[in-house]
Amino acid sequence: MRVPPVVPAPASIEATGAAFALDASTAVEGDPDAAASLAAVVRARTGLGLGDANGSGGGLIDLRVAAGGAPESYRLTVAESGVVVTGADAAGLFYGVQTLGQLLTRDGDRWVVPGITIEDAPRFAYRGVMLDVARHFHSLSTVKAYIDRAASLKFNALHLHLSDDQGWRIHLDSRPELTARASSTAVGGDTGGGFYSKADYREIVEYAASRHLIVVPEIDMPGHTHAVGLAYPELAEAPVLSDDIRETARVYGGGLPVAGTPYGGIAVGFSSLKIHDEATYDFVADVFGELAAMTPGPYLHLGGDEALGTSAEDFATFVARASDIIADLGKVPVAWHEVGAAENIADTTIGQYWGYMVPTDGMDDRARAFVANGSQLILSPADAIYLDMKYPPSSSDVAGPSLGLEWANGPTSVERAYSWEPSDVIAGIDDADILGVEAPLWTETIRDLDDIDVMAFPRIAAAAEAAWSPATGASHLRTWASFRERVGALGPLWSSLGIGFHASDEIPWATE
């Protein structure tokens, strides 16, 4: 059987016979939400409106939910007479529809789906993408478009990095000065900035849910908090200026951070909240309490990375209290792996590892601490699936190499984004200890949806496969050779959906 253009790779796939041809008379029955999703992708890819024409020659696509399988699983069967997609739940059915959309193939003047049976279920429960809206603000329409893109690859979590030194991006009634005083700037001195109203945030949450994603809001602290000091200066320490920060300012511009002045550079680690002031914890309780009420998903992310302006002892004190505040709200705290160095954090706290595929500087020890505490890890190895890392130079480059940074052993090729195995990153950690995989997209150089598309695609598909598919080498599809063929076959579909992907010359791109 020809390698099917399905990404992420399914758990099992088998050729079964003749292809199914569809046309405007093809009928769709079953779940109306799934039918609407299918109609959208079919129209975008083929121009056909299913069921637009009368007649019985177009066959039937049956979309149904039948409880009993693993969560988010589905079965897809294609015969000459029709297609049946059965999900164990609504999410599983949705993912089956995404697979069906990828399988659409032109055969002369016809559009067909190859005769095939797929049994599929995710490897990991959490499959996330992160969008940094603090360094550069991204509009409601851009966030929705990114949700659509992520959902098509079977991601089920959108992590929004809502605050950083350069800006605060969510309005909270309890702390209105945050958006009044700290939302108008961005990296590089870009003007405009922006923030989400509570209505905007509710719309994001609801739109994500309609595509079977939860939203994981992050308010980064105690570092990355210069913007907090613009709104509530009494809560922030003076910037701590190290040699590294001075060098970053020299190389990348943006000047040195000054208390009470908006910051547009990209240096990290200079800011801190006041750890021993009870007003700080009133602030933490207000922020996360309001976010908890706005966020139906189970997770609130407290950040905790690169708190270089905070002593180790003070950092441990802060993250223990902040994680307890979140846990007391009935939510699961999530924190970057540095928080694993602290004792007495809430025992439900999920760690997010952002070190390299081969850990350095004890980062793996901090990650293992979350598991030793009885919790789990989200893996985001920076030198594999940080989507903002530069691409290698390529004959097909248009914008790719002019965007992004290189600090994570960059540039990052598509092959390197694919060629890692989650269970191999942290010694002593296996699948039971891994909640999932997340691909972050930081936006120091990313200003709009066009930038997002060119940096995310195709490498986001590699992250999707690490999160969903069987372990590396566990099937004939779970190899780089197979992936590059399958993802290349998706080029026409991505183009029809308006995704301006980077046409890396590592991939043999199909043309129709």
Side-chain angles (χ1 to χ4, degrees):
M1 180 178 65
R2 183 182 176 187
V3 175
V6 179
V7 180
S12 72
I13 186 166
E14 180 183 357
T16 55
F20 170 73
L22 72 165
D23 59 32
S25 66
T26 299
V28 180
E29 294 182 356
D31 183 89
D33 291 337
S37 295
L38 178 63
V41 71
V42 169
R43 188 178 291 278
R45 180 71 177 99
T46 71
L48 294 171
L50 298 181
D52 283 354
N54 294 324
S56 58
L60 173 67
I61 299 175
D62 186 8
L63 308 175
R64 60 178 74 155
V65 173
E72 302 181 292
S73 66
Y74 67 91
R75 175 182 172 87
L76 186 154
T77 58
V78 182
E80 189 173 6
S81 59
V83 178
V84 178
V85 185
T86 306
D89 49 27
L93 180 57
F94 177 84
Y95 298 138
V97 165
Q98 304 312 306
T99 296
L100 179 56
Q102 291 181 343
L103 288 168
L104 290 167
T105 304
R106 186 184 289 277
D107 179 17
D109 293 332
R110 303 187 308 162
W111 286 98
V112 302
V113 182
I116 211 167
T117 296
I118 291 175
E119 300 270 2
D120 205 6
R123 178 182 180 186
F124 295 118
Y126 182 102
R127 306 176 304 280
V129 293
M130 189 217 77
L131 182 61
D132 168 17
V133 297
R135 271 53 177 271
H136 280 101
F137 180 70
H138 293 275
S139 68
L140 187 61
S141 62
T142 293
V143 174
K144 286 182 172 182
Y146 201 46
I147 289 169
D148 285 336
R149 286 151 169 73
S152 73
L153 292 168
K154 303 182 175 68
F155 288 101
N156 65 0
L158 172 67
H159 170 180
L160 284 178
H161 184 78
L162 291 166
S163 70
D164 216 297
D165 294 311
Q166 298 83 0
W168 184 282
R169 308 302 186 191
I170 182 73
H171 175 78
L172 299 175
D173 293 338
S174 60
R175 297 285 176 164
E177 293 303 304
L178 290 166
T179 46
R181 297 178 179 271
S183 67
S184 63
T185 55
V187 162
D190 291 7
T191 58
F195 65 91
Y196 305 114
S197 68
K198 296 184 80 167
D200 292 335
Y201 184 79
R202 181 169 57 252
E203 191 169 342
I204 291 170
V205 168
E206 291 173 351
Y207 193 83
S210 74
R211 273 72 175 162
H212 303 281
L213 283 85
I214 59 169
V215 174
V216 181
E218 179 189 356
I219 302 297
D220 207 348
M221 53 179 67
H224 291 276
T225 48
H226 186 81
V228 175
L230 302 182
Y232 298 98
E234 68 277 10
L235 300 179
E237 299 284 6
V240 176
L241 303 181
S242 66
D243 289 343
D244 284 345
I245 288 166
R246 295 180 188 279
E247 179 64 9
T248 299
R250 185 189 70 79
V251 173
Y252 294 100
L256 294 173
V258 176
T261 300
Y263 179 65
I266 66 170
V268 298
F270 57 83
S271 56
S272 179
L273 298 177
K274 291 184 176 179
I275 306 302
H276 299 288
D277 191 330
E278 282 303 309
T280 294
Y281 301 99
D282 292 339
F283 173 81
V284 174
D286 286 346
V287 167
F288 284 117
E290 196 162 344
L291 267 181
M294 296 161 60
T295 305
Y299 306 112
L300 297 180
H301 204 304
L302 62 92
D305 62 316
E306 299 173 321
L308 307 179
T310 311
S311 71
E313 181 180 3
D314 284 356
F315 178 77
T317 296
F318 178 86
V319 296
R321 291 193 63 176
S323 63
D324 280 343
I325 286 170
I326 293 172
D328 287 345
L329 290 165
K331 297 293 187 179
V332 177
V334 185
W336 298 105
H337 68 246
E338 289 95 324
V339 171
E343 296 182 356
N344 302 318
I345 60 172
D347 58 12
T348 55
T349 305
I350 301 292
Q352 185 166 1
Y353 173 80
W354 62 267
Y356 297 156
M357 289 182 283
V358 178
T360 60
D361 303 320
M363 292 181 177
D364 51 338
D365 292 332
R366 294 170 201 144
R368 275 189 291 268
F370 293 93
V371 175
N373 207 34
S375 193
Q376 291 179 293
L377 291 171
I378 296 168
L379 298 178
S380 301
D383 54 343
I385 56 171
Y386 264 34
L387 302 177
D388 52 295
M389 291 297 105
K390 284 190 175 186
Y391 289 100
S394 164
S395 60
S396 60
D397 284 329
V398 177
S402 68
L403 297 171
L405 300 173
E406 294 184 314
W407 61 263
N409 292 329
T412 300
S413 66
V414 183
E415 182 174 7
R416 192 169 85 186
Y418 185 82
S419 300
W420 66 287
E421 164 52 41
S423 63
D424 291 344
V425 175
I426 309 293
I429 297 300
D430 59 23
D431 278 19
D433 305 318
I434 300 171
L435 180 64
V437 170
E438 181 177 288
L441 180 57
W442 303 97
T443 61
E444 288 93 339
T445 69
I446 311 301
R447 290 174 168 81
D448 55 28
L449 183 59
D450 289 342
D451 291 349
I452 289 172
D453 277 351
V454 80
M455 295 305 286
F457 286 82
R459 292 180 299 188
I460 190 174
E465 193 141 310
W468 176 279
S469 302
T472 304
S475 82
H476 68 285
L477 297 180
R478 192 65 170 90
T479 66
W480 164 244
S482 169
F483 174 80
R484 65 189 293 271
E485 294 289 335
R486 288 181 285 112
V487 83
L490 293 182
L493 172 61
W494 287 351
S495 293
S496 68
L497 294 171
I499 299 172
F501 63 92
H502 171 58
S504 167
D505 58 9
E506 298 173 77
I507 305 298
W509 296 103
T511 58
E512 64 174 13

